[in-house]
Amino acid sequence: MGKIKKKGTSGQAKNFITRTQAVRKLQVSLPDFRRLCIFKGIYPREPRNKKKASKSSTASTTFYYTKDIQYLLHEPLLNKFRDHKALSKKIGKALGRGEVGDAARLEKTQTPRLTLDHIIKERYPTFVDALRDLDDALSMLFLFANLPSTSTVPPKTIALCQRLCLEFEHYLIVSHSLRKSFLSIKGIYYQATIQGQDILWLVPYKFVQRVTGDVDFRIMGTFVELYTTLLGFVNFRLYSSVGLVYPPKFNAGSDERGGELGAFTLEGRAVGTSLPQIEAPPSATNGINGESKPAPKAIQDAQAQADSVAKLTEPDSETPVQQEEPEEEVSDKIDTFEATGPDADILPQPQISTAEAASLFSPFTFYLSRETPRQPLEFLLRSFGCKRIGWDAVLGDGAFTTNEADPAITHQIVDRPNLPQDALPPAPDADGADAVVSSGTMIKPATRVPGRTYVQPQWVWDCVNAAKLLRPDLYAPGATLPPHLSPWVKPSKGQYDPTAPLAEQEREGEAEEAEEAEAEAEALEHEADEDVDLKDAHAASSSEDEDEDDDEVEMGAEGMQIALTDSDDESDASGSDVPPAAAASPSDEEDAEESASEDETVLHQRELEAEAAGLPFSHSHASTSTSQHKKSTKSSKAAATGTSTTTPPPKKSDARKKAEKKRKQEQEELDRQKMMMSRKKRKVLDKMLYSNRKKDEEAERLRGKRRRIEKAAAAAK
């Protein structure tokens, strides 16, 4: 008989441990346990069966791997946490005795300092591993760099995050590693390529941030403590790779004046004495002090034999000499991948090269107006080769020029609408202190400097994503901007693409169907309007007849009012509150009943005739003829009243008929294929078709919206 296993010694009960058991095993508090797990990268796990893993009847919600907790037992930070706990007890006892000075001395001299250097080395054995995990770190640090200082977010943490982020941006500017950027509702996305690794992070806008109380900044502060150490290591390695001294020199005065990137000064690393160049070997000498001696006779004879052998091995003069192939020119241009067929997949194209990124904006001088976001524009322009960027003095320190009228400026970025001169406030007097002088540092509002290109900020982002300079007239001040699309979302086949022409995206017969649908809608609307006009005309004629009858009864020959009878008074009193159209409703109801009885009689008569002739009779055909009879009656009534009838809806075009026939054939073929599938595969296929149908409907709706906009724009022209 085998040994009976004890419950809870194998399986999930052994592999998992609850959070309470882990805290007791490590002998730390719950906040310290959370910090330790964040530092070491240990997260809760979900067992397959919580009942088996809990080892008790109490429902546990948080589980960890037992091996992870066993690994934490040897962590050096545990000793730091215990030292901190012991120090807090000493400080508490000193305060209890009233020894405030001793408590302050203990806190200042004996507080343990936590260093996370060994954790960074453990979690990221190679530099590529650190780069792969840099996305969340950059997003978190850029977020804290824009937060206001509070009791939960100290100013030292914000200053450290700002310094590390600006240092990282300086490396991207020097190495031209930035590739793409996108303006979204949440902030500005950036993507850089460093040593073959794509790094994507989010930077919030420079708005006033309101810190709410429902966010646990202690947990986020723990992540910030880890990420600041990580980014410090990464910045040091990146600066060393391009030959720069880390950390760069920081000018606190310029930073207080809003210099930001301009507050740092980069310095190259001293390489030392250069290696001596390889010189050509000296000629063979046998004498002293470089004096050459004549070669002996044996050497001369050997040289003569070698020359004779060389002459024998020379090719004949008649032998054609092979032409040397021209060497291929080496260029930094990146190869592109083209599709082999119309239905082939669109291959992802390589990104812009470093040389192209370094020269995109290099020949230009930009000036940023006061209403534009200076920080992201300066970062983008400098990352893509621009060396001369000016802005107004109110935007901060570090500008190439603060003179808006500088003739060296080639492009000016503005973000305000074109206002006429009448809408602007009156210009101050020339003698006033605030006068605007053409030769000064400012120019008059709503004026344009000849020879300067004015664009909106989106032009910079679209040029960066397209890796080329776009037409500036499409981004002129006051112009309707092109759609700003995400550079990471590539349009697939069948989806709506705002950048492609509408004719290339429409399915067969879609434009004709849209035109016919619009024509039918207009016809129905016109018919409804005519019905309303007919009712109004009928109501007006009936009211005029009643008014004439009343005038004949009530008014005498000499214009005097004649006394009415009691029956007339009662009829007038009962019908005084009812409008003329409502008063004539009994006759309308009688007409409707008579027309309905006539329709039934006609249907019955047609059925008898068909039965006598031995032909099939269908109610749909009868209803169609009846409706035609109604239309003819309606047209005769309209002719009697003097109104026009509506035109019949247009017939289906040949293209629409072909498209419908093709879709019908495809649906029949799909139904035949589904008949051969199992039920499980058929359900999966139905889900896929449903999702594809929804995407197609959304794309068709967007195409219809664009078609209407283009039609309205063409009509406006």
Side-chain angles (χ1 to χ4, degrees), residues 395-414:
L395 295 179
D397 196 10
F400 169 74
T401 177
T402 57
N403 183 9
E404 190 177 357
D406 193 340
I409 299 173
T410 59
H411 290 70
Q412 183 167 350
I413 302 177
V414 297

Side-chain angles (χ1 to χ4, degrees), residues 153 244 463 678:
V153 185
L244 296 177
C463 288
S678 62

Side-chain angles (χ1 to χ4, degrees), residues 512-573:
E512 290 79 1
E513 290 179 7
E515 292 178 359
E516 292 175 5
E518 291 179 1
E520 290 177 0
E522 291 177 359
L524 291 175
E525 184 179 357
H526 187 57
E527 185 177 354
D529 294 340
E530 287 187 353
D531 291 342
V532 172
D533 295 339
L534 284 173
K535 290 180 180 179
D536 294 342
H538 182 67
S541 61
S542 60
S543 61
E544 289 176 0
D545 295 340
E546 290 179 358
D547 292 341
E548 290 177 359
D549 295 341
D550 294 341
D551 293 340
E552 290 177 358
V553 173
E554 293 180 1
M555 302 301 295
E558 298 177 358
M560 297 180 62
Q561 186 175 1
I562 302 174
L564 302 175
T565 60
D566 296 340
S567 60
D568 294 337
D569 295 339
E570 290 176 1
S571 62
D572 292 341

Side-chain angles (χ1 to χ4, degrees), residues 33-97:
F33 175 73
R34 287 173 179 163
R35 292 185 67 193
L36 190 61
C37 289
I38 291 173
F39 289 153
K40 300 292 288 185
I42 294 174
Y43 301 97
R45 307 293 178 175
E46 186 72 17
R48 293 182 179 179
N49 193 337
K50 287 187 177 182
K51 186 176 181 182
K52 292 181 179 179
S54 61
K55 302 180 187 177
S56 62
S57 59
T58 307
S60 302
T61 56
T62 308
F63 294 89
Y64 293 87
Y65 281 143
T66 306
K67 290 185 177 180
D68 291 344
I69 304 302
Q70 194 73 20
Y71 173 67
L72 290 179
L73 288 172
H74 309 285
E75 175 57 40
L77 287 178
L78 281 176
N79 297 328
K80 298 289 185 180
F81 290 157
R82 290 164 184 161
D83 295 343
H84 192 276
K85 185 177 180 181
L87 179 64
S88 62
K89 289 182 179 180
K90 292 180 182 179
I91 294 174
K93 289 180 180 179
L95 292 176
R97 293 192 298 265

